[in-house]
Amino acid sequence: MLWSRLASGTHRLNARPRTRDTIVAVAYLVLGLLLLQFGGYGIWAALLSLPTMGPWSTGSGFLLLLILMSALATLRSSRPFLVLALGTPLTAVDFFLGGSLGVVLLFADFVYCAFRYGGDRGVRTLLVTIVVTIAATALTLLLWPGVSVRIVTVVLQWALIVLIGALWGWNVRSERQRTRAVMSAEHRQATQQLRQKIAHDLHDLVANQIAVAGLNIEAARLRLGQMTEISAEADESLTQAAHGADEAHRQLRRLIAVLTTVDDLADETAPLRIQHIDDLVPIGRTLVREGADLDVALTASPRSAGVAMRAIHELVVNAVKHGEGDIVLRTRVGESGPVTVQIENRIASPGASRTAIGRSGIGISGATLLLGGIGASVESAPTGDGCWRAGLALKEEQYG
């Protein structure tokens, strides 16, 4: 029970970095106060014979610096480079006052946090800065005649402090990146397996049924032709039904190929075309086009044309299923480029169809998801005169 509570508390802290940093800062402050209480300050004063600065060298200055460094620690993971930049001069002041263990521990933690939480570019810059500083310091000590052994000792101690914090943070950062890479690879593998399973299910459970439906349509057409003289409208309806089944089968095979990451898709990757819209309207009803030429308007933006056409297909099918009479397709092109497409038809039964073709309908939801990927939008609603109207708007920057 206790272990589970600790694990739950740790998980909540990881999800709230500011709270976690505040707790860490308070812990450092308490530790620093204990170290000051037991004389953990002035650690380099005697070694370097630093001049005394009155009350600032006997506790007051170290206490103020500890409080300031602890306040910076509340941002240790969210702003690691800013904390390190502000903490470095404070640590330098602490050093010239004689040095205190609490501030040194906080400075080492700031170096650790910069390597652990910082961005790649910032870490590279910090690493170069540390290497250049070490090289410059080493060169200075080598060229400084009669350099004191005490100064070399202090420099080595500070180099060790910085390297411990940097190497610790770098190691944690590397482990985190390695774990993330392993989890990403496992996720890709699991996703690929799921896509393969979906593709097989689509092929076995859907594609074969569509193919059988197309064959049955052709067989019915031939059988009716043998039994009696089939009317032109009936023949055209069966032809259109067979074409629709073939098109559905082709698009499903293309989707299966995409799911299985097959590179050679041959002609099955051909995008939806403008003239295919007319095939969606059954015999006896007409698709009336008004305004600008839809083909010309959409080809102005090849990146968005395919998605826009799929959404228009979805809206036309939605209008066919839930409306009656002719379907009006209006296309408008603004002066600066944005395209607006409206699809309108009369509702077959206004009382029952408003929910079916409203904003929550499956067709409208699908079109909204498609258009959201290119920054476009779709709106649909029944009108006051018993009609239903859907509007599709492509943004101006897509045509600039």
Side-chain angles (χ1 to χ4, degrees), residues 44 47-48 95 134 137-138 141 148-164:
W44 285 294
L47 182 63
L48 296 178
F95 171 77
I134 291 176
T137 303
L141 293 177
S148 173
V149 177
R150 293 175 298 177
I151 295 178
V152 175
T153 302
V154 172
V155 169
L156 291 177
Q157 289 174 350
W158 273 104
L160 184 61
I161 292 170
V162 173
L163 287 177
I164 288 176

Side-chain angles (χ1 to χ4, degrees), residues 339-400:
V339 174
T340 302
V341 180
Q342 283 189 350
I343 299 168
E344 179 180 315
N345 75 317
R346 183 162 298 279
I347 299 175
S349 96
S353 299
R354 289 178 181 267
T355 302
I357 62 177
R359 296 180 183 273
S360 61
I362 296 176
I364 303 302
S365 300
T368 303
L369 289 174
L370 287 173
L371 294 171
I374 60 173
S377 61
V378 60
E379 294 184 359
S380 66
T383 61
D385 55 355
C387 293
W388 170 76
R389 182 179 297 115
L392 181 152
L394 301 177
K395 287 187 176 181
E396 177 178 350
E397 55 265 23
Q398 295 171 336
Y399 290 84

Side-chain angles (χ1 to χ4, degrees), residues 49-274:
S49 300
L50 295 173
T52 60
M53 299 180 65
W56 296 106
S57 299
T58 58
S60 300
F62 297 118
L63 176 60
L64 177 60
L65 291 170
L66 176 64
I67 293 174
L68 293 176
M69 292 286 283
S70 299
L72 287 177
T74 58
L75 302 174
R76 58 193 289 275
S77 64
S78 57
R79 297 289 188 272
F81 294 119
L82 176 62
V83 168
L84 180 60
L86 296 177
T88 298
L90 293 178
T91 305
V93 173
D94 177 83
F95 171 77
F96 285 110
L97 290 179
S100 62
L101 289 176
V103 171
V104 171
L105 290 175
L106 279 164
F107 178 75
D109 181 73
F110 292 169
V111 176
Y112 159 79
C113 290
F115 276 92
R116 177 179 178 180
Y117 299 111
D120 293 339
R121 183 177 179 181
V123 169
R124 288 194 298 267
T125 302
L126 179 59
L127 186 60
V128 170
T129 302
I130 292 176
V131 171
V132 170
T133 302
I134 291 176
T137 303
L139 184 61
T140 301
L141 293 177
L142 289 175
L143 298 179
W144 189 354
V147 62
S148 173
V149 177
R150 293 175 298 177
I151 295 178
V152 175
T153 302
V154 172
V155 169
L156 291 177
Q157 289 174 350
W158 273 104
L160 184 61
I161 292 170
V162 173
L163 287 177
I164 288 176
L167 292 176
W168 185 18
W170 183 274
N171 181 65
V172 175
R173 180 188 187 88
S174 300
E175 286 297 319
R176 182 181 62 182
Q177 292 178 343
R178 187 185 67 84
T179 303
R180 184 180 299 171
V182 171
M183 293 179 64
S184 178
E186 292 177 351
H187 175 71
R188 285 196 301 269
Q189 183 178 4
T191 302
Q192 182 63 25
Q193 291 176 352
L194 178 61
R195 291 173 61 181
Q196 293 280 353
K197 183 179 183 302
I198 294 174
H200 287 303
D201 289 344
L202 286 175
H203 180 272
D204 296 339
L205 304 178
V206 182
N208 290 338
Q209 296 297 326
I210 293 177
V212 171
L215 293 174
N216 286 330
I217 292 173
E218 288 292 341
R221 182 184 176 192
L222 294 175
R223 186 66 179 271
L224 289 174
Q226 294 174 356
M227 295 174 60
T228 180
E229 183 177 352
I230 186 172
S231 66
E233 288 188 357
D235 183 69
E236 187 174 355
S237 296
L238 289 173
T239 300
Q240 188 168 333
H243 174 74
D246 292 340
E247 178 67 15
H249 189 259
R250 186 180 71 84
Q251 291 294 339
L252 186 59
R253 286 178 57 85
R254 183 188 67 82
L255 179 59
I256 292 173
V258 172
L259 288 172
T260 54
T261 63
V262 175
D263 295 328
D264 185 15
L265 302 182
D267 296 334
E268 293 186 350
T269 57
L272 296 172
R273 297 183 179 180
I274 304 297

